[in-house]
Structures are given as C-alpha cells and as structure tokens.
Amino acid sequence: MKSKFPDNFLWGGATAANQYEGGFEACGRGLSNLDMIPSKEHRFEVASGKLDPYSLKNEYYPSHIGVDGYHHFKEDIKLFAEMGFKVYRFSINWTRIYPNGDDEQPNEEGLRFYDQMIDECLRYDIEPLVTINHFDVPVNIIDKYGSWRNPVCIDLYLRLCKTLFTRYKGKVKYWITFNEINMILHMPYMAAGLFFGPKENVKEVSYSAAHNELVASAKAVLLAHEIDENNKVGCMLAAGNSYPYTCKPEDVMESIKMDRENYMFIDVQARGYYPSYALKKMQREHIDISAFEKDKDILNQGTVDFISFSYYNSMVATADPKLNETIKGNIFASVENPYLESSEWGWQIDPLGLRITLNYLYDRYQKPLFIVENGLGAVDNKEMINGDIIIDDKYRIDYLKSHISAMKDAIELDGVDLIGYTTWGCIDLVSASTGEMKKRYGFIYVDVDDEGKGTFNRYKKESFYWYKEVISSNGKNL
Ligand code: BGP
C-alpha cells in the first residue's frame, strides 16, 4: 500500500542556535538576551521580564555552552543524513552576524559559520529551513533602544534578513521570520528581550513590541520574495488548541478566548490585518493602537506563504474561578485534562489534539502547514550492554508514533495540506523553559549534564533507528 504522506514530504528535525550551538564567544559573537537567562531558580523570573538579569551574580548560563553544536555540527548533520533527513530546521544567532545588532557591516566570521552549516546540509541533500529569529535579541539593542518596544528594531532586523537572503540565495528556500511569535505575551524577556520598568504598562509595551515584530515579519516576507521569487516564508505559532472544560457555554467562550490570544498574531501574518476581536480587546484594555494604522498596507502585502507551528500539548479552558486556581505554573499553563496522561514535566500528551489543531489551522488559513516542533522531553538512561551503549527511549517512540498517526489522519481523512515535520531537539539540547539538559528530546544523546559538564560525545538512541525507518518508508512503517 502506498504511503499517505506526499512523496516530497519534508521529514526532519529542529534545533535553535541558543540551545544547540554554545560557542558564545567564538568568531566575534555578541551577547543576546538568551545568554543572560540563567538555569535554576531565577530562570522563570528573568525570562518573564520581572527580574533584571544584570542584578544576578554567580549563575550558570546554559546557552553559553549548549551542546557545543558550534564544534560538532558536521558530525551532527552527518547523523541527521544517516537518519535520512530531508530537512533540518535551525536558527541563526543574530549576534553571530551582527554582534551589536546595529553594526553597519555583518561579521564575516559569523557568516562563514552558517555558510558551512548550510553547505553541510546541502552536501547530503538536506533542505535547510532557517528560523531567522528564535527569540534572540542582541543585548546592545536591549540596552540602547529598549528592544522590540522600539520600532528601530524593524530596520535592524531587516538588515539581518537582507544579509541572509542575499548570501543564501539559491541555497535556502524555506524561512521562518519569528519563532513562536505569540510567546512574547508569555515570556517577554526570553521571546523578545523585554524587561519592564516599574511604571510601565506591561500589556501596552508587549502589544506594541509584538506589532513591531509583525511589521518586521511582513517586510521580511516582501524582501525575501523580492530577492528570490522562489523563497517561501512562514510564520510560526506555539500551537495547541484549547478544549472547553465542559459543554457549558461559558466554558466554550473561555476556550475561544484562550485560542484567540495565540491566533491573533497568525491572523495578522496569514490574512494581512488585525482581527476585529483583537482590536476590540486592545481598545477595552486602553492600549493605544493609533500607531498601528500607518502599517496597514505593509501588513496587508506581506502575508506568509505557509503556516508553521510547534505542538506539544492541548489546553483546557474553564470559566470556573475555583478550577482556574488549580493551574500550576508553566509557560502555557492550563487546567488539567482528566482524560490525558502527562510527561515527566507535566505536559499533557494528546496526539488527537494535533489532528484537531491541524484541522483548525487549515480551516482558518487555507495555507500549507508545516509542523516544525513536536516531541517528548524526558529523562533518558544510558546503559552498557555487551560493551555497547544503549539508550532505550521507547516512550519517545510511542509519543512520536501516535503523533505521526494523527498527522496521517489529518492528511488522509481530512485533506489537510501538510508539507513537513521537524521533530523538536532532534539532537539533545538545552531546555528553553527550564534550562536543563536532563529534559531531552533527541534521537541522538549528548553526554552533558545540567551544569554543562560531560564529554559532549554523541550516541544514537533506539528512536534513531526507528525514525530512520519512518523516513525511509515515508511514514508507512511506524
Ligand atoms: C518551544 C521553543 C523551543 C523548545 C520547545 C520545548 O517553546 O520554541 O525553543 O525548547 O518549546 O520546550 P522545552 O525546551 O521547555 O521543553
């Protein structure tokens, strides 16, 4: 029987520069917001813009080391090729190319690093999928201009885009403008370098910074098409639909509102204008949106070619204040769904939720979809059996298998136009939310611990061999 996945389906994996590369001072790289976020107890407060990162001392900063991809990328891409990857999603470190963000000329040494990464992919016929911005903002831009709250960032970001689109013309076709753009409302310092002063209106600053990113994204789409008409540019959403806790209409309304908080950004990037519910909400909250008017045409013209998103779990919405009190802190915390199991980090596992999300997004936008993050963060154990190192991550295989089946259903039964799938952290890397190494996602184990200590040797897990078979059978053998 023929596979349900299209012949040219893009199977692969994804990483982000700050969680993978390390080499934070190599080749003239500057510092970014992500280099200022420590692991352990202060991480959450700094990432959410509540604690001044400069006030801390003697912290460990996991992005400085990552999994040392800076020195291992050739070995890693070779392993991806061995699994049969058709695509590798990675991000560009803004500060490797423009160490201060506002430099007149790009840093040639930094560009040479990405030249090599891209050429290495192409050597194995792996399509590079480049995230232009995976949360990082040069520290100089934060200190000097206040980060994305200042529209000057639009031009500085476009300077980076122009350098990349020109240099990699004909080599890179798929681009993502901003990783999980909706994260700006949840983790403003981590996602956009926003730290708030005591008198600032947090909502107003966040929405206007988000607006600047939306304008930058639309201009980047136009520029990418102008430089090379073959370029395909996507937006990126931290997705996962919410369910009403009960069929009580109030719960249903809460669920709609919860989803809209996230969809509003993609509505702009895919449709070219702010949805009416978002404008009404901002007005109600006395957010001054008069400055948005002048950017109407740009937003309208710079709509994306595809919709990419991350999916880890679904959420639950309720209008019951007592139930809402039970929510435990996490980035996208919601009421617990009693029908689902959870990962060791409390993320609820819901493969059917992926099919639901795919349907929802396709109905809403009617544009090609690309799942660019999905996976299970878990503790893996290394065992020595007959002289071989074995990492039996059956739980990860089960998770991925059930999610790929859901994708298959969405394609076959619902007719969703899904063009690719890159699992998150195809090689182990630092966790964004916790800064830990022990929360692992990879098919490839990296020997490094939460303190950045280890040999950095790479080992294939059982899932490595499983995913290789999935790809070679184009999703038929799960
Ligand atoms: C997304 C980010 C990634 C990634 C992933 C998993 O929000 O785009 O950078 O890390 O979540 O999250 P975590 O690392 O916290 O498990």
Side-chain angles (χ1 to χ4, degrees):
M1 210 184 40
K2 206 178 162 325
S3 162
K4 306 295 178 220
F5 288 92
D7 290 341
N8 52 357
F9 191 76
L10 292 165
W11 296 98
T15 61
N18 74 90
Q19 292 161 267
Y20 169 71
E21 283 178 15
F24 87 112
E25 282 176 325
C27 69
R29 178 184 177 280
L31 274 186
S32 80
N33 54 333
L34 303 167
D35 299 317
M36 308 287 284
I37 307 181
S39 60
K40 308 214 169 111
E41 73 257 41
H42 297 304
R43 186 170 183 86
F44 191 80
E45 272 177 297
V46 173
S48 51
K50 293 186 186 120
L51 180 65
D52 181 355
Y54 286 116
S55 68
L56 298 171
K57 282 197 184 78
N58 304 324
E59 299 281 342
Y60 171 61
Y61 296 94
S63 73
H64 296 195
I65 294 176
V67 290
D68 199 26
Y70 186 77
H71 295 105
H72 289 79
F73 71 93
K74 287 194 179 164
E75 177 188 347
D76 296 342
I77 294 174
K78 190 167 180 229
L79 287 167
F80 300 158
E82 194 183 323
M83 273 186 278
F85 277 23
K86 311 278 182 226
V87 61
Y88 170 37
R89 174 185 177 225
F90 60 91
S91 79
I92 301 286
N93 229 312
W94 193 342
T95 55
R96 241 186 243 297
I97 313 288
Y98 287 96
N100 300 298
D102 59 358
D103 318 71
E104 289 300 326
Q105 295 301 325
N107 170 27
E108 190 52 38
E109 251 194 288
L111 280 167
R112 271 203 295 271
F113 171 69
Y114 292 109
D115 292 351
Q116 290 181 56
M117 247 178 116
I118 290 166
D119 288 345
E120 209 56 25
C121 288
L122 297 176
R123 201 153 90 84
Y124 296 106
D125 279 332
I126 297 176
E127 186 90 53
L129 164 58
V130 174
T131 312
I132 300 165
N133 187 274
H134 196 117
F135 296 158
D136 57 331
V137 186
V139 158
N140 176 56
I141 290 190
I142 301 174
D143 295 348
K144 203 153 143 190
Y145 310 106
S147 197
W148 280 99
R149 58 160 75 62
N150 188 330
V152 75
C153 277
I154 300 172
D155 287 338
L156 297 175
Y157 169 87
L158 287 167
R159 192 179 290 178
L160 170 70
C161 290
K162 189 167 179 198
T163 303
L164 298 175
F165 297 153
T166 314
R167 182 114 171 175
Y168 301 123
K169 182 173 172 175
K171 289 189 170 186
V172 176
K173 177 173 155 197
Y174 291 99
W175 304 90
I176 291 172
T177 55
F178 287 92
N179 180 63
E180 295 187 335
I181 195 162
N182 49 322
M183 195 64 92
I184 195 170
L185 298 183
H186 305 273
M187 288 282 130
Y189 184 76
M190 183 173 83
L194 297 175
F195 171 70
F196 303 101
K199 296 211 178 94
E200 269 189 311
N201 178 339
V202 171
K203 277 204 173 140
E204 187 154 81
V205 173
S206 304
Y207 280 111
S208 69
H211 177 75
N212 291 332
E213 287 194 348
L214 290 169
V215 173
S217 174
K219 287 190 170 178
V221 174
L222 294 172
L223 185 66
H225 291 159
E226 188 189 306
I227 292 177
D228 185 348
E229 57 182 20
N230 293 316
N231 275 329
K232 298 272 178 231
V233 191
C235 54
M236 202 295 201
L237 165 79
N241 264 59
S242 76
Y243 305 133
Y245 191 71
T246 68
C247 54
K248 208 169 148 196
E250 284 78 1
D251 284 351
V252 177
M253 195 63 225
E254 277 314 305
S255 162
I256 291 177
K257 284 199 234 162
M258 188 183 256
D259 286 341
R260 281 177 169 175
E261 280 262 310
N262 299 314
Y263 285 118
M264 66 165 277
F265 302 106
I266 308 302
D267 284 354
V268 177
Q269 290 173 296
R271 297 165 168 167
Y273 55 90
Y274 277 92
S276 48
Y277 66 81
L279 294 173
K280 286 283 181 197
K281 183 176 165 50
M282 289 189 270
Q283 271 166 17
R284 256 192 327 272
E285 291 177 357
H286 307 292
I287 293 170
D288 181 10
I289 51 169
S290 52
F292 293 10
E293 191 59 26
K294 65 171 190 334
D295 302 313
K296 245 175 137 175
D297 291 345
I298 289 291
L299 294 181
N300 202 262
Q301 291 156 18
T303 53
V304 291
D305 301 310
F306 65 91
I307 314 285
S308 77
F309 64 97
S310 60
Y311 176 84
Y312 294 93
N313 51 263
S314 53
M315 293 178 288
V316 176
T318 170
D320 178 345
K322 281 221 178 68
L323 265 177
N324 273 319
E325 275 171 24
T326 64
I327 297 176
K328 293 185 223 93
N330 203 328
I331 298 181
F332 284 99
S334 90
V335 169
E336 200 170 309
N337 187 330
Y339 302 101
L340 300 176
E341 299 201 338
S342 300
S343 77
E344 290 160 277
W345 274 265
W347 293 21
Q348 294 210 282
I349 301 170
D350 183 10
L352 183 54
L354 176 57
R355 179 172 166 198
I356 293 170
T357 300
L358 281 162
N359 273 281
Y360 198 84
L361 284 168
Y362 195 56
D363 283 352
R364 195 168 179 116
Y365 303 120
Q366 297 282 300
K367 292 201 182 207
L369 303 181
F370 203 147
I371 302 170
V372 295
E373 285 186 31
N374 172 240
L376 178 72
V379 175
D380 291 329
N381 292 311
K382 233 171 25 277
E383 286 174 286
M384 187 68 108
I385 303 177
N386 299 334
D388 291 327
I389 290 186
I390 305 286
I391 300 140
D392 186 5
D393 56 344
K394 189 182 168 307
Y395 36 90
R396 180 166 299 109
I397 296 175
D398 289 345
Y399 178 101
L400 294 171
K401 202 184 267 189
S402 60
H403 284 75
I404 295 174
S405 290
M407 284 155 46
K408 205 185 245 185
D409 289 345
I411 294 172
E412 191 196 352
L413 306 175
D414 308 320
V416 166
D417 181 8
L418 180 63
I419 58 174
Y421 178 62
T422 59
T423 65
W424 176 248
C426 45
I427 179 162
D428 290 346
L429 37 62
V430 173
S431 156
S433 56
T434 70
E436 293 164 320
M437 262 315 299
K438 68 169 181 279
K439 189 178 187 192
R440 295 171 182 273
Y441 285 87
F443 302 116
I444 301 162
Y445 185 94
V446 182
D447 179 33
V448 55
D449 66 15
D450 288 346
E451 268 74 47
K453 298 200 178 68
T455 60
F456 291 88
N457 286 344
R458 275 67 173 146
Y459 301 98
K460 296 171 192 171
K461 303 182 192 175
E462 288 306 301
S463 57
F464 181 100
Y465 305 100
W466 170 81
Y467 196 45
K468 185 178 174 173
E469 176 61 26
V470 172
I471 298 178
S472 74
S473 66
N474 198 23
K476 230 169 80 179
N477 302 342
L478 293 182

